[in-house]
Amino acid sequence: MADYSALMADWQDLLARRAALAEPLRFWTAILEGWAGWKPPAGLTPLASGADQRRRCWERGLPLLTLAVPAIPIASVEDLLGPVMERLAADGPEAIEALRRLAQAWDEGQLDVAGLLPAPDHDPAALLQERFGLGPHLGSFLPLAALRPALETHFESARDLPDGVWTRGACPWCGGAAAYGDLMEDGRRRLSCHLCGGAWIAARLRCPFCDTWNSRDLVRLVGEGLDEGYFIEACRGCRGYLKGVDRRQRWNAGPPLVEDWGSPHLDVYAAREGYWRATSTLAHLLPADPEDPA
């Protein structure tokens, strides 16, 4: 499984760089500590599939999660989900009531791990909102917080994505939405999925949300000063956006998840410009806490 001790070290480095945001960013520290302490349960094994089978799946435009649903024991999910739900209850009385309904359904077996997994015909955030009244940002964050380590274990032997086979903006492994889009040292664009930890090369002039190739609809907002090298890629068509870092300028930047979670002020700026993102950020989960240093 993933080395979360290394991820924690990268996170601590970022906290030192973003000292002004250290207090609100502690929300993420608790999540990472939970992942670092998680142990793969018995019965959870890497995806058993051959390279040819995976390639055929990708060529059909389907993520690998459609090949087999991982056998993730409920208890291993509860170890991560419970503490997160307690912290998210601070969002207000409506969130408390929605989370109470969700917890009751979970305890009664009306909601299970499969209900938190993305699928071509299933959006977990939409389901949680429809059934329990949970806001879309909270609903999109719960699967990430609870399932990331298990999904990384599930896909650890299936990361051999051939160049050019996958053309969609969604994750080729779990089908989750792209969460970060940075530029590599060789100039190629890399999209990343926070839900399962996957990363893949994608076209630079294509929106990962609406798939438009119209360059007039694509805009890049470039950071200055302390944020030099960081940017926001946005689409005027669907109004979706991703953050990213140009690693030719910021060669020592951390992993995508660390850089994303450590820059809530950029999300605040993008929201003020009228853009939205498919995955949750601190500005969505704790709207009253993050300061905008801009």
Side-chain angles (χ1 to χ4, degrees):
M1 61 176 292
D3 184 358
Y4 288 109
S5 61
L7 194 64
M8 279 294 299
D10 287 324
W11 180 247
Q12 293 300 326
D13 287 343
L14 182 135
L15 291 180
R17 289 189 278 123
R18 302 277 187 181
L21 292 170
E23 183 60 31
L25 290 181
R26 288 181 182 176
F27 177 87
W28 296 128
T29 303
I31 303 299
L32 293 172
E33 290 174 343
W35 292 355
W38 186 88
K39 303 298 182 183
L44 178 60
T45 58
L47 175 66
S49 62
D52 290 342
Q53 184 183 22
R54 293 193 291 271
R55 185 182 184 104
R56 287 194 297 269
C57 186
W58 285 322
E59 288 177 340
R60 293 168 57 200
L62 297 174
L64 293 190
L65 197 60
T66 59
L67 292 177
V69 176
I72 305 175
I74 289 180
S76 70
V77 174
E78 291 176 343
D79 290 342
L80 297 177
L81 190 60
V84 172
M85 290 176 63
E86 291 180 4
R87 302 194 72 197
L88 293 178
D91 193 54
E94 292 184 2
I96 292 176
E97 183 59 25
L99 291 169
R100 184 196 64 78
R101 291 191 293 265
L102 187 156
Q104 181 177 354
W106 184 275
D107 291 340
E108 295 175 353
Q110 300 176 19
L111 178 68
D112 57 15
V113 175
L116 300 180
L117 293 170
D121 59 349
H122 173 76
D123 178 2
L127 178 145
L128 295 176
Q129 183 174 27
E130 179 181 349
R131 289 186 58 182
F132 310 113
L134 197 65
H137 293 302
L138 296 184
S140 67
F141 176 67
L142 287 180
L144 162 65
L147 302 179
R148 168 72 179 255
L151 288 177
E152 287 212 74
T153 301
H154 179 66
F155 292 120
E156 65 181 12
S157 61
R159 297 296 193 184
D160 55 339
L161 177 66
D163 289 343
V165 169
W166 185 258
T167 60
R168 296 183 55 201
C171 176
W173 290 278
C174 71
Y180 204 72
D182 50 10
L183 289 180
M184 305 301 292
E185 289 84 351
D186 59 7
R188 294 187 299 170
R189 181 195 195 199
R190 181 183 66 182
L191 299 180
S192 301
C193 172
H194 293 346
L195 179 58
C196 76
W200 65 103
I201 300 300
R204 289 184 61 171
L205 297 178
R206 187 178 188 181
C207 174
F209 306 117
C210 68
D211 290 328
T212 183
W213 285 91
N214 190 341
S215 60
R216 291 176 297 182
D217 285 337
L218 304 178
V219 60
R220 174 174 292 182
L221 310 174
V222 181
E224 299 178 350
L226 294 177
D227 287 322
E228 185 177 1
Y230 294 92
F231 56 82
I232 296 169
E233 292 183 324
C235 176
R236 293 192 181 99
C238 68
R239 307 299 293 179
Y241 80 92
L242 289 175
K243 294 184 297 183
V245 59
D246 189 333
R247 295 179 184 273
R248 297 169 299 184
Q249 293 180 262
R250 292 273 183 170
W251 58 269
N252 60 342
L257 181 139
V258 167
E259 295 294 348
D260 183 18
W261 283 4
S263 55
H265 57 293
L266 298 181
D267 293 293
V268 172
Y269 176 76
R272 287 176 178 172
E273 295 297 307
Y275 296 106
W276 60 271
R277 61 179 288 170
T279 52
S280 297
T281 180
L282 195 64
H284 300 132
L285 299 173
L286 300 177
D289 288 342
E291 297 179 1
D292 181 3

